[in-house]
Amino acid sequence: MILPIVFIFSLLYSSHALVQDFCVADYTAPVGPAGYSCKKPAKVTADDFAFSGLGIPGNTSNIIKAAVTPAFDAQFPGLNGLGISAARLDLAVGGVIPLHTHPAASELLIVVQGSICAGFIASDNSVYLKTLKRGDIMVFPQGLLHFQINAAPVPALAVVTFSSPNPGLQILDFALFKSSFPTELIVKTTFLDEAQVKKLKGVLGGSG
Amino acid sequence: MILPIVFIFSLLYSSHALVQDFCVADYTAPVGPAGYSCKKPAKVTADDFAFSGLGIPGNTSNIIKAAVTPAFDAQFPGLNGLGISAARLDLAVGGVIPLHTHPAASELLIVVQGSICAGFIASDNSVYLKTLKRGDIMVFPQGLLHFQINAAPVPALAVVTFSSPNPGLQILDFALFKSSFPTELIVKTTFLDEAQVKKLKGVLGGSG
Amino acid sequence: MILPIVFIFSLLYSSHALVQDFCVADYTAPVGPAGYSCKKPAKVTADDFAFSGLGIPGNTSNIIKAAVTPAFDAQFPGLNGLGISAARLDLAVGGVIPLHTHPAASELLIVVQGSICAGFIASDNSVYLKTLKRGDIMVFPQGLLHFQINAAPVPALAVVTFSSPNPGLQILDFALFKSSFPTELIVKTTFLDEAQVKKLKGVLGGSG
Amino acid sequence: MILPIVFIFSLLYSSHALVQDFCVADYTAPVGPAGYSCKKPAKVTADDFAFSGLGIPGNTSNIIKAAVTPAFDAQFPGLNGLGISAARLDLAVGGVIPLHTHPAASELLIVVQGSICAGFIASDNSVYLKTLKRGDIMVFPQGLLHFQINAAPVPALAVVTFSSPNPGLQILDFALFKSSFPTELIVKTTFLDEAQVKKLKGVLGGSG
Amino acid sequence: MILPIVFIFSLLYSSHALVQDFCVADYTAPVGPAGYSCKKPAKVTADDFAFSGLGIPGNTSNIIKAAVTPAFDAQFPGLNGLGISAARLDLAVGGVIPLHTHPAASELLIVVQGSICAGFIASDNSVYLKTLKRGDIMVFPQGLLHFQINAAPVPALAVVTFSSPNPGLQILDFALFKSSFPTELIVKTTFLDEAQVKKLKGVLGGSG
Amino acid sequence: MILPIVFIFSLLYSSHALVQDFCVADYTAPVGPAGYSCKKPAKVTADDFAFSGLGIPGNTSNIIKAAVTPAFDAQFPGLNGLGISAARLDLAVGGVIPLHTHPAASELLIVVQGSICAGFIASDNSVYLKTLKRGDIMVFPQGLLHFQINAAPVPALAVVTFSSPNPGLQILDFALFKSSFPTELIVKTTFLDEAQVKKLKGVLGGSG
């Protein structure tokens, strides 16, 4: 006959056992270099580990005919501290995700619908370009400039995932032309013509 | 007038500059704790960063009515050292990905088609269960037992990504019943009945 | 003659110098992905770096004839953030530490008394078994299923240490049969017979 | 009387003790994700840990009136695996280090001579600008676009150090205009005018 | 005609988006193993990323004729979490930075003025010595005993940087002779003569 | 009836699947910053994960009446890459492990027999001392000077474990007096009397 196993490992869950297998973000507590503070385990539910936002198509009625919907640790608390996150890319016909970097993560792109032309540029100025179809995946190493373009006359859908819960996103055009980066400094540090800079600042709303 | 910028950063790419922005796997050279050796940059092409295998439906004509197609660093050389990888899950009607762990990575599941019931169990024996529909995502913290089941009367398709290029995969039933783990030790360390162990070893082909 | 060195490095210990060589856990402050908040240095004492709990034999009067006494960061504040922790294993005659994993750490077992049969199973379903005697050590790579059994007719004592201050501990039987994991889902995801599942839930107190 | 301590720790340096306190790069052996293979300890000399190249002024007779001299692990073998590296910046009057990123490292700038205007742009398009004088330091967080400009009518000299032995360097203008990035794709992914792209490709020698 | 791009990535900066590209230290909030809590992004300014303290010569009117001025995360909030820090070394004629270690970082020394003799000792008791002149750099692997001495009859100036924002600094003489380390224990654990220990405690102010 | 599960996950173990759950050291292949190259999985056996050397008492017939027997990755191939290692300390009556550091790891001491007085010194020169009895444990944070002394009139036995497979070991007396560190430099960088230095060099065999 088998008797009940009672309390044998009870010490393992002492009153201080706040640090567990995960650290669901508590958005009301301090943030540190490794991420958000952890919600108390007793308050964690299955909903903290799931996120529905990527099921909703992004609005592509804009100049780039594209939309990015993030599921980073700031939106999806269960990711906090776990080294992974995701985003949804919607690209209408002619849609483009402009040249950008993720300062703190590598990216893995998964084409779910349609066809996407993607590429990145390495430190030695080599350019790596691929046209991807449904089911294809492509990796963009950490911190390098890359882009995605709809490569077909139908809408494209992709999911991208990142090697960090907080990958960051620096869109080149926004950094230059939607910011307060002074025109004079942009011209000096990029060799772009002043007229070009002013034109794009006009479009994107940059100041300076 | 603007003159050519010649050689200004030429020192940056000396003859020893083998370590770059990425480390595409060279499967013929030694492997270390951090991954495969790097292919020489001159031999790297865009194809190293893309992978088509996940576009092909897995064969679900098996007992679990499911298939897993990996894109880990062993299959996809461009992932090496980059902290991310992926796999495709095909679940026919009634399909199940049995209880398993990834010893070295957290997992992010993205439902592409159909509906999936997924869950994991934490160290304190809490169970976190969710039924996910197309577009929903769920995260499974590193090293914890989890599973996926097709939750609808139509086939389901999901992509999972991992916080490591080499996440590992330990399927509980295979570890116990498709291995050489001696029946006597299984009984002692799991409290399963010997008859149960022998029955599943018979099905899965375990020895011992 | 040698004169006093006064204040030469005084700037090094400014009023903000709260982050030091260590980060003793303050259990009353927020917890983050990297561990507990740090106690203020002025309140740290030598006692924070020592722990006596492993000197006390665990109570092995239970069904597994074994006991685990942890010294993780939740019990031993000086370990916080330092990448190491420990536990004491007492195994009476016939004692067993059932199949389990540590989701976030590798384990090193040191046999202090008696003899222990230990083993782990790898992702490829290889089984690695060893019978260890006093003074022998064995390593269990991160996240893999493993177990320990008293291999002699005398009590055994071991110390295990981990490559994390918070290794986690997922005991297979508890995850399945001492939790609220629904019987139907267990059967589907493990291929165990329903009767087997219900029997062990009865013993261990699982619900669902 | 004190007797010689002989061989007490002799086991510590067994025949396999190749991994030591450091891993000086062996440029003739395989490279992995964590860096170069290690030179055998017996062949390591003090010279491996020192580097004289930064003592030599860079040639600023070029369009940007500036020069970068790197001391990364590819040039300085003792840095391999140690998490740090350096470079020398020479900025003649009017000199500019154009907008660039380091994909895998944060940068710390130390002004040694003259005055430098430096800045970076964050993911939220905030611009952080400072004019630095001799002795001032500034940090540029990992992966973000940044630049340095000589801010005075005399030459400037700076040393920059990085949080990686292999920080990488992606110069925006080179990535766009000195590469084979097709003009059509540049226009689509940056909104720059085609004429602007062609003009800069002409200057910098880009193809496509 | 080009229309404004409005709100396309607006989701990226949700109300919870506190974790960004950097984590400027908030000295008033809890500290954790990974560093200080982050200042709210809205309160961060360019001044947080620059530090002027290293422009000020240290006071070398002391027994070692040398001074160390740190720019660690405790002094320079922008470094928090970024894996790098710095310090200024002033060495008057005859100046010495006594034997010391940084428990948590490798060090890179850059000679800015004069000449410095520097060295470190490895675990196998090998000694690596170099005399460095202006512009030379030298690396000291993590945790090893090292020193710097002015090697010329003129003042020397160096900047050192570290592979951690909080490298720590353990000066051997201070640890032994400026602490409360009991003389009896020092004698037992160093084999120094008691008279020698008492003499240096007298000079440096140690107790015990 | 249950049918065999055949090949369902067969893709997971492709011909390139050399990187697995562990990386047992291959001492004949290159070493990198992350450790030794991995032995091919087919050649790995259970013996690679166990080590018997710590069961053998060290020889304490020496001046310090103590012995250290290491089980680092250089001696115990299964530890390679796993973030943990161990050593055995034998302390005869009056035995001492002299002041030392581990440059790359925190240490956890477990007293197995007898009583040990242990201590460490922090960067701020605080001294943390404890007298430990059988079963007590103590942690020594990374890179800090520490020691162990037999605190009772009977032999003591301890096991120490480390947060790295290759913690390093720098014994202060050996670094100073058993090396080729020139006497003149030792005197300058430690303030020890020349006579003291020469005396200890005589005992320990140092040159210079």
Side-chain angles (χ1 to χ4, degrees), chain E residues 121 142 170 173 190 193 196, chain F residues 121 142 170 173 190 196:
Chain E
I121 313 166
Q142 177 170 338
Q170 180 159 58
D173 267 51
T190 65
D193 293 339
Q196 174 75 87
Chain F
I121 313 166
Q142 177 171 338
Q170 180 159 59
D173 267 52
T190 64
Q196 174 75 88

Side-chain angles (χ1 to χ4, degrees), chain A residues 175-177 179-194 197-198 201 207-208, chain D residues 94-100 116-121 127-131 138 145-151 172-173:
Chain A
L176 296 178
F177 309 123
S179 69
S180 62
F181 197 5
T183 298
E184 186 197 348
L185 288 180
I186 299 177
V187 169
K188 271 194 188 164
T189 62
T190 65
F191 309 125
L192 293 175
D193 292 339
E194 186 178 338
V197 173
K198 288 187 167 168
K201 281 199 168 185
S207 60
Chain D
V96 174
I97 307 293
L99 217 57
H100 64 284
I116 289 176
C117 168
F120 71 89
I121 313 166
V127 180
Y128 298 93
L129 299 175
K130 287 290 291 181
T131 297
M138 182 167 178
L145 283 164
H146 61 286
F147 69 90
Q148 288 99 12
I149 297 179
N150 189 338
L172 176 58
D173 266 52

Side-chain angles (χ1 to χ4, degrees), chain B:
Chain B
M1 191 193 125
I2 300 178
L3 299 171
I5 300 173
V6 179
F7 295 132
I8 42 164
F9 298 106
S10 60
L11 264 176
L12 282 173
Y13 305 105
S14 77
S15 57
H16 296 317
L18 299 174
V19 178
Q20 288 203 324
D21 310 317
F22 42 73
C23 174
V24 173
D26 175 353
Y27 297 125
T28 67
V31 184
Y36 294 93
S37 289
C38 315
K39 193 186 269 200
K40 285 191 195 304
K43 296 194 172 174
V44 171
T45 71
D47 290 342
D48 289 315
F49 299 103
F51 184 77
S52 288
L54 301 196
I56 303 161
N59 182 356
T60 59
S61 300
N62 54 49
I63 189 182
I64 59 166
K65 299 176 182 164
V68 176
T69 308
F72 297 172
D73 57 5
Q75 290 84 34
F76 183 1
L79 293 180
N80 188 45
L82 292 185
I84 200 160
S85 62
R88 174 191 175 117
L89 304 188
D90 289 279
L91 293 129
V93 175
V96 175
I97 308 293
L99 216 57
H100 65 282
T101 58
H102 303 287
S106 291
E107 172 182 331
L108 189 62
L109 171 86
I110 302 140
V111 180
V112 176
Q113 269 180 11
S115 176
I116 288 175
C117 168
F120 71 88
I121 313 166
S123 278
D124 67 355
N125 306 317
S126 297
V127 180
Y128 297 92
L129 299 175
K130 288 290 291 182
T131 297
L132 307 161
K133 60 182 192 302
R134 181 180 174 134
D136 288 351
I137 63 179
M138 183 167 178
V139 67
F140 306 93
Q142 177 170 338
L144 298 178
L145 283 164
H146 62 286
F147 69 90
Q148 288 100 11
I149 297 179
N150 189 338
V154 295
L157 173 61
V159 174
V160 287
T161 63
F162 301 95
S163 62
S164 163
N166 177 36
L169 168 55
Q170 180 159 58
I171 301 164
L172 175 58
D173 267 52
F174 287 16
L176 296 179
F177 309 123
K178 200 185 173 182
S179 68
S180 62
F181 198 3
T183 299
E184 186 196 347
L185 289 180
I186 299 177
V187 170
K188 271 194 189 165
T189 62
T190 64
F191 309 123
L192 293 175
D193 293 339
E194 186 176 340
Q196 174 74 89
V197 173
K198 288 187 168 168
K199 179 178 171 186
L200 285 168
K201 280 199 169 184
V203 172
L204 291 167
S207 60

Side-chain angles (χ1 to χ4, degrees), chain D residues 132-154:
Chain D
L132 307 161
K133 60 181 193 304
R134 182 182 173 132
D136 289 351
I137 62 177
M138 182 167 178
V139 67
F140 306 92
Q142 178 170 337
L144 299 178
L145 283 164
H146 61 286
F147 69 90
Q148 288 99 12
I149 297 179
N150 189 338
V154 294

